[in-house]
Amino acid sequence: MKRSASSVPTFDSMFIPTIQALQILGGSGTTEEIYDKVVQILNLPDKVLEIPHGSTSQSEVEYRLAWSRTYLKKYGLLQNSARGVWSLVSTSLNPDDLDAKEIVKAVRDTEKSKAVPSDPTTETVESIEALEELAWHQQLHKMLLTLEPSAFERLAQRLLRESGFIQVQVTGKSGDGGIDGVGIARINGFLSFHVLFQCKRYQGSVTAGQIRDFRGAMQGRTDKGLFITTGTFTRDAIKEATRDGAPPIDLIDGEQLVQRLKELGLGVKISVIESVEVDTDWFAKI
């Protein structure tokens, strides 16, 4: 039975939880840290977190939370850096003083000429072109999902090399327990350790069982694993990846993957537009 997106909190109902999450995180946090805290604050169950947004690998919660951050930024409460870190403009902000309806109205009033959708929910928003932050995310997600499995493995190989790994090899052997490749991670130029990685190019969520299977394939071959997917991970899968007494497995979900590709300039072109403004005050004082 298909799960309905109507069970997902609306973007405006996540304004205050987003502010609270950043306060808990000390005033700043990555997209992933904010997501984890908001999920915790709202106590959202896995069945809600696993609802995908349309035909993309992004979940509906992630999609609406991105709208929440964007509205809060346009309202002047948040700012974000080029490194994907979001922060509160003021640490003394009291969430109880915020009015979600007022935020929505204020942002829409100032963005009328840009045709911002009237109600960013799955019922009324079919396009995200009005907000650049979301547009490239969706496009890149869709592109990743069109790749052949072998092409996605080569992308993972390139990603690891660009991230400082050496001797990265794609194995992709059938019957190898899901191991798609190996590499050596270098730390500070002199420390290194072997890493086995697995790539899953699909929509949906990776389960704890899949993490256990991957760890089983790693047994006796390495002490470190990396699981890359265009989808998401269930909370049980995240817990399993860092379970005490078991070899740790680092996880990269679809959202982290597109961010990393952007940071490394892989498959993404970033254009910087020069803005020139005449300083009339300077001439007045000459």
Side-chain angles (χ1 to χ4, degrees), residues 103-166:
I103 294 174
V104 172
K105 182 179 183 303
V107 172
R108 287 177 183 166
D109 285 346
T110 58
E111 296 290 330
K112 282 180 181 178
S113 62
K114 298 180 182 178
V116 172
S118 59
D119 185 11
T121 64
T122 50
E123 289 75 20
T124 60
V125 176
E126 299 299 330
S127 170
I128 54 172
E129 294 177 352
L131 296 175
E132 295 82 355
E133 178 201 357
L134 299 176
W136 70 269
H137 272 234
Q138 295 285 5
Q139 189 179 357
L140 188 49
H141 267 297
K142 289 179 180 178
M143 181 60 69
L144 292 175
L145 289 171
T146 65
L147 295 178
E148 293 293 327
S150 58
F152 187 61
E153 290 173 355
R154 290 194 298 274
L155 175 65
Q157 182 182 41
R158 176 69 181 277
L159 177 72
L160 295 182
R161 281 175 173 152
E162 296 285 356
S163 299
F165 281 64
I166 60 173

Side-chain angles (χ1 to χ4, degrees), residues 165-221:
F165 281 64
I166 60 173
Q167 297 182 30
V168 185
Q169 299 177 19
V170 172
T171 57
K173 298 176 183 177
S174 58
D176 199 20
I179 302 297
D180 292 317
V182 299
I184 299 176
R186 297 292 297 271
I187 300 176
N188 296 330
F190 58 91
L191 292 177
S192 63
F193 53 88
H194 286 76
V195 176
L196 294 178
F197 63 88
Q198 182 173 160
C199 312
K200 286 231 178 263
R201 180 200 57 79
Y202 63 58
Q203 293 178 245
S205 300
V206 175
T207 65
Q210 289 171 300
I211 297 297
R212 283 192 290 271
D213 290 343
F214 179 44
R215 183 178 281 122
M218 290 167 45
Q219 199 70 35
R221 301 169 65 178

Side-chain angles (χ1 to χ4, degrees), residues 52-59 63 138 141-142 145 203-204 230:
H53 172 65
S55 60
T56 71
S57 59
Q58 190 178 34
S59 74
Y63 173 78
Q138 295 285 5
H141 267 297
K142 289 179 180 178
L145 289 171
Q203 293 178 245
T230 52

Side-chain angles (χ1 to χ4, degrees), residues 35 49-53 57-64 232:
Y35 170 83
L49 300 178
E50 293 168 16
I51 297 174
H53 172 65
S57 59
Q58 190 178 34
S59 74
E60 188 62 31
V61 172
E62 288 174 325
Y63 173 78
R64 297 189 186 185
T232 58

